Amino acid sequence: MATQASAAPPVRVEIYDQAYNLRGMDAEYILKLAEFVDGKMRSVAEQTSTVDSLRLAVLAALNIADEYHLLKRSQNTGATDYQKRAHLLASALDEVLEENRKAG
């Protein structure tokens, strides 16, 4: 019979002047996430004339998704560049080793 692990106590956060009780294993991380989302919503509110908090939440979510995908794309591009470079270096090393074997 499996026993249930005790759940972490809720963490009270405020996002755009609304209180939420969230659960998770790392309270500090939850607070940072909430602070980040709150900042995004406030930034969107400053840039638009929108006062509807649901609309602000969706616009903030779109901004966060855009940042995520841009970072993911740049990370994938960087990995591809490293793979190409590693392949070129491996080929060059193979050539040198082959020459050494022939001279050998």
Side-chain angles (χ1 to χ4, degrees), residues 43-65:
S43 175
V44 169
E46 288 175 8
Q47 297 171 14
T48 66
S49 58
T50 303
V51 293
D52 177 21
S53 61
L54 178 58
R55 189 183 273 306
L56 285 173
V58 170
L59 292 172
L62 287 170
N63 276 290
I64 293 167

Side-chain angles (χ1 to χ4, degrees), residues 31-45:
L31 290 169
K32 285 182 182 181
L33 290 176
E35 186 178 301
F36 181 79
V37 172
D38 181 71
K40 284 292 178 188
M41 288 185 70
R42 292 185 188 284
S43 175
V44 169

Side-chain angles (χ1 to χ4, degrees), residues 20-31:
Y20 299 92
N21 290 315
L22 305 175
R23 291 186 188 275
M25 296 307 292
D26 187 346
E28 188 175 321
Y29 183 66
I30 292 170
L31 290 169

Side-chain angles (χ1 to χ4, degrees), residues 65-83:
D66 180 49
E67 286 179 12
Y68 167 77
H69 284 283
L70 288 173
L71 284 170
K72 189 175 176 183
R73 185 182 312 144
S74 70
Q75 190 176 44
N76 289 341
T77 300
T80 302
D81 290 344
Y82 285 123
Q83 288 171 342

